[in-house]
Amino acid sequence: MTDLSTTTQPRSTRRTVLAAGVGTLAAGIAGCLDEDPQEDNGVDGDDIASEDDGGGGDDTYTVAAGMPALWDFTREVGGDHVNAVDLVPTGEHGHDYEPGPGIVEEIEEADAFVYMREFAGWMDDAVAELEGDDSVAVIDASAGIEFFDSPAEDDDEHWWMDPVECQNGVDNIAAGFAELDPDHADEYNENATAFSEDLEEIHEKFEELVDRATLDEIVIGTHDSFQWWNRRYDIDVYSPIGTSPDGEASAQDIEEVENHIEEYGIEHVLYDVGEPAHLAESIADETGAEVLPISPVETQLDETTEVGDVEMESDWGYVAHYQEINFPSLERALQTA
């Protein structure tokens, strides 16, 4: 995982793109959105530039987003004036996705790039290469959001798992769009406000769920993206892998997690829907627990993929991930009354 620092200053670089150039710039990326952008969010960066023009209007901006949660925030804030493209293809995990070497050239086909600092090395590298390119507005959704030293990681950057902190990220995106397209600034702000109300409802439902819970511990059998839940909702999260998707669980780490399961009467082991469930299944087999899915909103799966008892859809956004996957699993894992 990328080394983080709380002293890192958020980037505030935003570049204005003339609306008159949108039709030409959008020709590369917007073609993948020739139908509903919510139906085809995942795009292989190597293939974006080869797509046909989607026919976006002169007041429509094409915005590349660095991972699935940001793609959803982008489309919610952008509304009718933005074609949002998720650079992480359907089925890939946002944290360990590695695009091809031409990703910067693909991003340059867009009018803006929404990213998160210190989340994935390729994003930070792309932003560095885009310095001085006045044709692409660069928007850091993490601007002003302070990372913290979580139980799993120093300078934990997984702020989007906190629906309250997400509202700051949404505001950052709205501010970037307002600079990009001042004529529709009021609409972007209104969209951000409306979506923040949805996020606040997710927060309130989370609080209500935790209030009914008889446990405040969960076990994750995949990499740990969930420590911001510990900070906001006082849920203790145990994972034998840690915060890196490439991490390996040692026998000692697995034994410690199994001891937690026995000590606290934990009956479920959760797994990230974007990662293999084999470790979670192994831990569950050893402890008599049941495996349940959980989503860090880093992966979009198509309708052919079952997630537990749910058929996930590739156009699901942040709210759907919580309503359809996270809350049902947490109801059972936290043994709500």
Side-chain angles (χ1 to χ4, degrees):
M1 173 158 299
T2 306
D3 182 37
L4 307 176
S5 172
T6 53
T7 61
T8 300
Q9 296 299 314
R11 294 182 182 273
S12 58
T13 303
R14 297 191 175 97
R15 304 174 181 87
T16 302
V17 182
L18 297 177
V22 171
T24 301
L25 288 169
I29 294 182
C32 64
L33 301 167
D34 52 359
E35 298 179 359
D36 185 345
Q38 298 181 7
E39 294 178 358
D40 188 13
N41 61 294
V43 183
D44 186 338
D46 293 337
D47 296 335
I48 292 174
S50 64
E51 298 283 354
D52 293 329
D53 186 7
D58 286 345
D59 62 348
T60 302
Y61 291 80
T62 297
V63 180
M67 53 88 78
L70 294 186
W71 162 75
D72 184 47
F73 299 167
T74 295
R75 67 175 181 169
E76 291 286 351
V77 174
D80 294 335
H81 302 294
V82 166
N83 284 331
V85 178
D86 185 357
L87 294 176
V88 178
T90 298
E92 296 280 354
H93 196 286
H95 221 148
D96 57 6
Y97 174 61
E98 289 292 341
I103 189 62
V104 175
E105 287 76 12
E106 305 298 341
I107 294 171
E108 287 175 335
E109 298 293 331
D111 301 298
F113 176 42
V114 177
Y115 84 112
M116 294 188 296
R117 74 181 193 276
E118 305 294 351
F119 169 74
W122 71 266
M123 286 194 213
D124 293 313
D125 291 345
V127 169
E129 288 192 47
L130 289 168
E131 287 290 346
D133 183 347
D134 293 333
S135 69
V136 183
V138 177
I139 302 169
D140 180 7
S142 301
I145 296 176
E146 294 186 7
F147 306 152
F148 75 105
D149 293 347
S150 77
E153 177 186 24
D154 290 347
D155 301 320
D156 193 319
E157 79 279 15
H158 298 82
W159 57 266
W160 70 94
M161 293 310 299
D162 178 345
V164 176
E165 202 68 63
C166 281
Q167 297 172 45
N168 294 321
V170 165
D171 287 343
N172 287 333
I173 294 171
F177 287 174
E179 260 190 68
L180 175 71
D181 179 20
D183 289 345
H184 299 109
D186 289 344
E187 290 181 60
Y188 298 135
N189 290 328
E190 289 169 4
N191 292 344
T193 298
F195 186 52
S196 289
E197 291 174 358
D198 293 340
L199 293 170
E200 186 64 22
E201 289 182 8
I202 293 294
H203 164 60
E204 291 171 359
K205 183 171 182 178
F206 210 141
E207 286 192 315
E208 185 270 335
L209 187 156
V210 170
D211 286 343
R212 290 186 289 107
T214 58
L215 283 180
D216 58 7
E217 296 88 13
I218 58 175
V219 167
I220 308 288
T222 43
H223 98 277
D224 185 358
S225 303
F226 304 93
Q227 290 296 336
W228 283 69
W229 287 355
N230 173 269
R231 188 187 202 191
R232 178 68 64 183
Y233 304 110
D234 293 324
I235 297 173
D236 291 329
V237 182
Y238 303 101
S239 169
I241 294 179
T243 57
S244 172
D246 299 324
E248 295 288 340
S250 69
Q252 180 178 348
D253 292 333
I254 294 172
E255 182 179 0
E256 288 179 1
V257 164
E258 291 175 349
N259 289 338
H260 283 305
I261 291 173
E262 181 178 356
E263 178 180 356
Y264 295 112
I266 295 171
E267 299 176 353
H268 301 89
V269 180
L270 305 170
Y271 73 96
D272 179 340
V273 296
E275 298 182 45
H278 54 77
L279 178 57
E281 292 168 347
S282 176
I283 294 171
D285 287 344
E286 289 294 322
T287 60
E290 181 182 355
V291 174
L292 294 174
I294 204 79
S295 174
V297 201
E298 294 186 46
T299 304
Q300 296 293 87
L301 300 174
D302 63 26
E303 291 79 355
T304 65
T305 306
E306 289 190 5
V307 179
D309 296 328
V310 177
E311 289 186 3
M312 189 169 170
E313 299 179 12
S314 60
D315 67 342
W316 278 4
Y318 188 91
V319 171
H321 279 253
Y322 271 75
Q323 290 179 335
E324 303 294 337
I325 299 175
N326 291 346
F327 286 151
S329 288
L330 288 171
E331 287 273 357
R332 298 173 65 184
L334 295 176
Q335 301 178 23
T336 55

